[in-house]
């Protein structure tokens, strides 16, 4: 049996930029006419759908309607296209990320994506960064408001837990580590310096700076899958 490796997008497969975060404030102003906080970690669920519903609860006293969600998505895509025209490539892949999914498959692992992005923006970002993901299963904020739920959708679409020797989620933020722990799967953090310290503070036992050293990354995944199986059986 092979392991399943599930990747986050922003900050994991792609570099995160402050310009994108600032732009997201414009998304909600243009779509809903409301001001929002910049720190996405302040929200209970750091996914596009979770943030959208929480923004509506805080500002409008209710959940977002389907029409409002459509407006948010359209506003976001307008921003992303504008940023791409202005900055060129817009999203730079984390070193090694352009081919990591193909390399894992060639090495006998299954790769998948579980992101807090909407599906339409996730596809746009990955294409802009030239991330090769043909045939790769993806779950997004369209599937669930909570990150653990999104990861669960990705696992189910890949056949479920019993199909794999182990499962690891790859992410760059403490909430990624928390989601993996809630699902009792392995976790490998992506980051260095202060970011790696924060990830370890959230419980990450393994961190990589990027995906250029495939052997080191694969070894971290195997260790985390083994550790998660041991925890689940204890």
């Amino acid at each position: 049996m092979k392991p399943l490796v599930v990747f986050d997008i922003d900050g994991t497969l792609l570099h995160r930029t402050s310009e994108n975060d600032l732009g997201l404030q414009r998304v909600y102003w243009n779509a809903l006419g409301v001001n929002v906080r910049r720190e996405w970690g302040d929200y209970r669920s750091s996914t596009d759908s979770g943030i959208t519903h929480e923004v509506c609860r805080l500002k409008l006293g209710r959940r977002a309607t389907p029409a409002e969600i459509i407006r948010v998505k359209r506003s976001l895509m307008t921003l992303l296209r504008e940023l791409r025209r202005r900055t060129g490539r817009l999203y730079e892949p984390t070193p090694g990320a352009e081919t990591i999914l193909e390399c894992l498959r060639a090495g006998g692992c299954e790769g998948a994506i579980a992101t807090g992005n909407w599906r339409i923006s996730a596809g746009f970002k990955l294409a802009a960064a030239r991330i090769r993901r043909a045939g790769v299963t993806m779950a997004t904020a369209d599937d669930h408001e909570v990150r653990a739920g999104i990861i669960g959708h990705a696992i189910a679409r890949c056949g479920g837990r019993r199909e794999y020797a182990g499962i690891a989620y790859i992410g760059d933020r403490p909430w990624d580590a928390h989601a993996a722990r809630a699902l009792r799967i392995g976790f490998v953090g992506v980051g260095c310096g202060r970011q790696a310290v924060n990830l370890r503070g959230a419980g990450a036992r393994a961190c990589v700076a990027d995906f250029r050293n495939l052997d080191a990354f694969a070894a971290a995944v195997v260790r985390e899958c083994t550790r998660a199986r041991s925890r689940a059986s204890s």
Side-chain angles (χ1 to χ4, degrees), residues 11 13 15 18 38 46-48 51 56 69 72 74 109 113 125 127-128 141 154 161 167 180 182 188 225-226:
L13 290 175
H15 282 307
S18 59
R38 180 179 173 185
S46 57
T47 69
D48 284 355
I51 291 171
C56 283
I69 289 174
V72 168
R74 286 176 176 168
C109 297
I113 293 172
K125 291 178 180 181
R161 291 174 182 258
I167 302 171
V188 176
C225 287
T226 301

Side-chain angles (χ1 to χ4, degrees), residues 32 35 57 69 73 82 92 117 128 131-132 141 153 217:
L32 305 175
N35 288 310
R57 280 193 296 266
I69 289 174
K73 290 180 180 179
E82 174 190 323
E92 289 294 327
N117 287 289
I131 300 290
R132 301 173 190 170
H153 271 274
F217 175 65

